[in-house]
Amino acid sequence: MARAKGTMGAAEDSASEMQRSFSENLRLACSYAPSVSEVCRRLDINRTQFNRYLRAAARPSPNILNRLCDYFGVEATEFHLPPPQFARIIALKRHTSKPRPPYADAIDKLRAASLPTLRGYVGYYYVYYYSMSSPGMILRGLMHLFTHDNEVYYRRIEHFSNQERTDAAFKCRYSGAALFLEDRIFLIDSETLTSNEITQTILFPSRRNKIARLTGLIMGVSSGNQRRIACSRVLLEWLGAEIDIRPALANCGLFAPDAPSIPRSIRDMIDNTMPPGAPLFYPVDA
């Protein structure tokens, strides 16, 4: 029994020593970051809880540990090494790593500043605009705006199924990032199936407490051989924070301009007619 207690005590001492090593190593790693607050913002970790890690009063969950490893560029096992050994490793990795370009910090700050506002827009939307590949037809796609690692991203699917165009049975998938700057929402994405297109969308934010519709402009290229550069008015229709995706996708596709399934109010907002003499193409503010 005494031997078992001794073995257990040794194991507890070892675990405690690893926790103290992790705490000291984390403090050293944070010294290379702009600030502890910046680390917490970037990783979406509660500052009070993070302070407990720094004091060796708590251990991070596997999920948070993985985030810390990705952020500082070290392995989980390295975080628990004796501090002198960890100091040599992280110093070497910082010395051999590529320097960040001067604009990287500005982009990081913009992403962090965008998060508080864009959290309110997280959810699913129908996306309406006149198709760049099928001129004269209205396209209805599905977009999901979501947060990941303290940043806002989105996926957009254009599913051409059996609607007015039975011959158009294909999909386009886009993945991108969202930013909020000076009362405008900026979306930029790339087509992930063919990797042949980058699309940019700029939207007016919602003027109401409850999101209903967002309008703006979308610019990209057609998927045909000519790859024409095009711009269209666009409208996002809020569906909810959580939806049944399968029936939502079934409602996507190409529609004739007078299709009864496209509300008249939406058709008016995405109409691309320009007033006579207009020097530039402007969106319709919802």
Side-chain angles (χ1 to χ4, degrees):
M1 180 68 69
R3 184 177 181 181
K5 287 183 179 179
T7 303
M8 184 179 299
E12 290 175 350
D13 289 343
S14 176
S16 179
E17 182 60 30
M18 288 182 62
Q19 187 165 339
R20 286 194 295 270
S21 294
F22 173 81
S23 174
E24 187 171 337
N25 293 339
L26 180 59
R27 288 197 299 270
L28 176 62
C30 288
S31 70
Y32 289 104
S35 67
V36 173
S37 296
E38 176 66 14
V39 174
C40 293
R41 282 195 299 269
R42 292 281 294 147
L43 302 183
D44 197 18
I45 300 175
N46 179 273
R47 176 62 186 270
T48 301
Q49 183 66 18
F50 195 85
N51 287 339
R52 298 186 68 201
Y53 305 150
L54 295 175
R55 299 194 312 268
R59 299 179 184 180
S61 67
N63 178 271
I64 291 179
L65 180 59
N66 287 335
R67 283 189 254 170
L68 290 168
C69 291
D70 290 341
Y71 183 81
F72 291 112
V74 298
E75 301 294 332
T77 53
E78 293 172 337
F79 249 132
H80 293 90
L81 291 172
Q85 188 175 349
F86 178 81
R88 291 193 296 270
I89 290 174
I90 196 169
L92 179 62
K93 288 188 176 185
R94 286 187 59 82
H95 179 72
T96 57
S97 62
K98 295 181 180 179
R100 285 167 58 85
Y103 51 80
D105 288 339
I107 295 176
D108 287 345
K109 289 180 180 178
L110 180 56
R111 287 173 172 168
S114 299
L115 182 64
T117 299
L118 290 181
R119 279 191 191 277
Y121 292 87
V122 167
Y124 290 84
Y125 300 81
Y126 277 140
V127 183
Y128 298 86
Y129 65 95
Y130 274 88
S131 171
M132 300 172 189
S133 302
S134 301
M137 301 292 289
I138 294 176
L139 187 149
R140 177 160 62 194
L142 182 66
M143 177 187 290
H144 180 209
L145 198 72
F146 60 93
T147 60
H148 177 71
D149 285 350
N150 215 28
E151 296 178 0
V152 184
Y153 299 94
Y154 67 96
R155 298 186 185 94
R156 179 163 56 91
I157 300 177
E158 296 175 356
H159 183 195
F160 302 91
S161 57
N162 293 327
Q163 302 285 356
E164 278 75 7
R165 285 281 303 277
T166 57
D167 61 321
F170 59 92
K171 295 180 180 179
C172 293
R173 297 179 182 269
Y174 301 83
S175 295
L179 297 169
F180 186 88
L181 180 63
E182 292 295 331
D183 203 32
R184 294 292 181 267
I185 299 171
F186 295 83
L187 308 175
I188 185 166
D189 59 50
S190 63
E191 210 285 321
T192 59
L193 296 180
T194 59
S195 301
N196 66 354
E197 180 185 359
I198 291 177
T199 302
Q200 181 176 1
T201 304
I202 303 178
L203 302 167
F204 293 109
S206 177
R207 310 294 182 185
R208 305 169 182 173
N209 292 332
K210 185 177 180 181
I211 301 173
R213 293 174 176 176
L214 305 175
T215 59
L217 295 177
I218 182 171
M219 185 174 75
V221 298
S222 64
S223 59
N225 294 331
Q226 295 182 359
R227 291 179 56 76
R228 292 174 295 183
I229 301 173
C231 179
S232 175
R233 293 187 174 108
V234 63
L235 182 144
L236 273 62
E237 181 183 26
W238 169 258
L239 299 178
E242 298 292 338
I243 64 169
D244 191 345
I245 296 178
R246 191 178 297 273
L249 280 175
N251 288 329
C252 295
L254 288 169
F255 301 81
D258 58 352
S261 53
I262 306 295
R264 177 61 182 270
S265 59
I266 291 180
R267 282 182 274 156
D268 290 343
M269 288 184 176
I270 64 172
D271 183 86
N272 288 324
T273 303
M274 291 184 64
L280 298 171
F281 189 58
Y282 296 103
V284 177
D285 189 349

